[in-house]
Amino acid sequence: MHKFYNLIKLNTFMLMVGLIIWYSWSVMALTTLDTMDWKGSLVYLPHGVRVLGIVFFGWRVFPALILAELIGPYFIEPQHYFDEWFVGGIVSIISVSMAVQLLKWVNVDRNISFFRKLNFTNYRFLLLTVIISALFNAIGSNIVVQFFMPDILVEPITIFRFFIGDTLGAIVFFLFLTLMFTTLSEFGLINRNKRSKKITVDIDK
């Protein structure tokens, strides 16, 4: 029961983060779903939330991420929302999971090897996940949406914009988190582990 309660709290937290980032991106991008016309944003902040959730919490936060993909665009502009946007969002979440599993399988460390033990630091692992998942998502989500909505013309430049947008958006998101937590730490509002300069991620949890 305690684990279930913690799972509810975790998903509620991630859902709130996802919706806040959705809204923030919509405001800062100065764009709407209809004017964007599925061309992709060049700084797509919500992708950072996907990577954050999957890397640190895995399958446990899938409900929150899926709800964020469903509620986010509808909450912002229900008059321009279409179901295929949600399908594309599901593909995006799966793309991040595939990127994480690929990195675990390849076992990338100082020397690329299929057999070495995983040895990631946060920033390196996050950056690799961001880039690979952005590539998967750029191709996968556009193929799915093109299948469901033939009226939407997906060109190579669209796929490229999706890749750049997800990559830059996630990087900006994590830079913001780094700045925020560093500032909070300097003011003594949160505690940092001073014994280690590196923060590692146990991706097997």
Side-chain angles (χ1 to χ4, degrees), residues 20-41:
I20 290 172
I21 295 302
W22 255 105
Y23 180 77
S24 301
W25 164 76
S26 177
V27 172
M28 290 186 293
L30 298 176
T31 188
T32 57
L33 301 184
D34 59 331
T35 56
M36 189 186 302
D37 194 27
W38 196 256
K39 295 184 184 300
S41 169

Side-chain angles (χ1 to χ4, degrees), residues 41-78:
S41 169
L42 288 178
V43 183
Y44 191 67
L45 297 177
H47 190 65
V49 180
R50 301 165 183 158
V51 175
L52 174 70
I54 298 300
V55 167
F56 287 97
F57 306 111
W59 292 89
R60 289 175 292 173
V61 294
F62 262 52
L65 295 178
I66 292 174
L67 281 176
E69 294 289 346
L70 176 63
I71 300 173
Y74 184 81
F75 178 75
I76 295 169
E77 291 187 78

Side-chain angles (χ1 to χ4, degrees), residues 139-155:
I139 298 173
S141 61
N142 279 288
I143 290 176
V144 170
V145 170
Q146 179 77 83
F147 176 80
F148 284 103
M149 292 194 70
D151 293 339
I152 295 180
L153 180 61
V154 176
E155 300 176 341

Side-chain angles (χ1 to χ4, degrees), residues 67-113:
L67 281 176
E69 294 289 346
L70 176 63
I71 300 173
Y74 184 81
F75 178 75
I76 295 169
E77 291 187 78
Q79 67 273 28
H80 300 301
Y81 179 81
F82 52 93
D83 296 337
E84 286 73 15
W85 186 288
F86 171 66
V87 176
I90 298 298
V91 174
S92 301
I93 296 173
I94 295 175
S95 296
V96 179
S97 298
M98 290 175 57
V100 171
Q101 295 303 316
L102 177 63
L103 291 174
K104 289 175 63 176
W105 179 66
V106 173
N107 288 348
V108 180
D109 54 16
R110 293 182 180 179
N111 299 311
I112 296 179
S113 169

Side-chain angles (χ1 to χ4, degrees), residues 168-181:
L168 292 181
I171 290 175
V172 169
F173 173 74
F174 283 112
L175 287 177
F176 168 75
L177 289 184
T178 301
L179 177 62
M180 181 181 68
F181 284 117

Side-chain angles (χ1 to χ4, degrees), residues 1-20:
M1 187 66 180
H2 182 68
K3 289 184 178 180
F4 179 75
Y5 177 67
N6 288 336
L7 184 64
I8 294 297
K9 290 197 300 183
L10 175 61
N11 276 273
T12 301
F13 171 75
M14 285 302 303
L15 176 59
M16 292 300 102
V17 171
L19 294 180
I20 290 172

